[in-house]
Amino acid sequence: DLSFLWHEPDTNLLGLWIPLEDVTIENGCLWFIPGSHKNGLVNGRRLVREPDGNSSTLKMIGEEPEFPHEQYKSVLVNKGDLVLIHGYVVHKSLANKSDKSREVYTFHVCETKRGTSWSELNWIRPANGIDGFPLL
């Protein structure tokens, strides 16, 4: 998820993904490549705002990595489970091909130190007038 929530230095980022209903292959479960978190950000791939900083236009930069589907492992979880997602792990979800929804609650936490900065090009930013995100 560091591709979407970049900060420097790129300290630890952790995604918390909590399904609000059972998640299956048919309704779009998560798929992970085991051990891929050890390789860092793949090809510098990041979602950014246009460089003017005020634009609402988003784009992906860096090369699109390609991984054979056979490398991925599906993760089937039940309503209320917790999936922890390392910031560098390669993961995806496929289309929901069922007649059921796949609603989840997700949020991210990152380790910060004095001198850590949130990229001005990130798609999500603190609200106007707020200097950074709150430290917990």
Side-chain angles (χ1 to χ4, degrees):
D1 287 347
L2 273 165
S3 294
F4 301 95
L5 302 168
W6 187 254
H7 54 283
E8 293 183 14
D10 61 337
T11 54
N12 294 326
L13 176 78
L14 182 67
L16 292 93
W17 197 86
I18 305 166
L20 303 178
E21 50 206 333
D22 292 345
V23 179
T24 65
I25 290 175
E26 293 76 24
N27 73 349
C29 71
L30 291 174
W31 296 75
F32 293 88
I33 297 181
S36 60
H37 66 286
K38 299 174 185 174
N39 300 325
L41 190 63
V42 179
N43 296 339
R45 187 91 170 137
R46 291 183 42 213
L47 178 68
V48 298
R49 288 184 184 270
E50 288 291 343
D52 66 16
N54 294 316
S55 176
S56 61
T57 303
L58 304 175
K59 67 178 182 177
M60 292 299 292
I61 60 171
E63 292 182 40
E64 175 73 33
E66 292 188 32
F67 302 100
H69 183 70
E70 296 76 31
Q71 289 185 344
Y72 288 89
K73 304 293 180 203
S74 62
V75 176
L76 309 180
V77 292
N78 296 314
K79 175 182 176 178
D81 285 349
L82 171 63
V83 178
L84 300 175
I85 304 171
H86 188 282
Y88 283 138
V89 72
V90 175
H91 62 289
K92 66 180 180 179
S93 61
L94 302 177
N96 182 345
K97 297 188 177 190
S98 75
D99 58 355
K100 297 165 74 174
S101 62
R102 189 215 66 181
E103 295 188 19
V104 302
Y105 178 73
T106 185
F107 64 97
H108 294 84
V109 293
C110 67
E111 176 184 25
T112 59
K113 307 174 194 175
R114 197 174 296 273
T116 298
S117 63
W118 185 255
S119 174
E120 291 293 320
L121 296 180
N122 278 343
W123 68 277
I124 189 169
R125 296 193 212 151
N128 289 337
I130 296 176
D131 184 24
F133 291 100
L135 298 178
L136 303 175

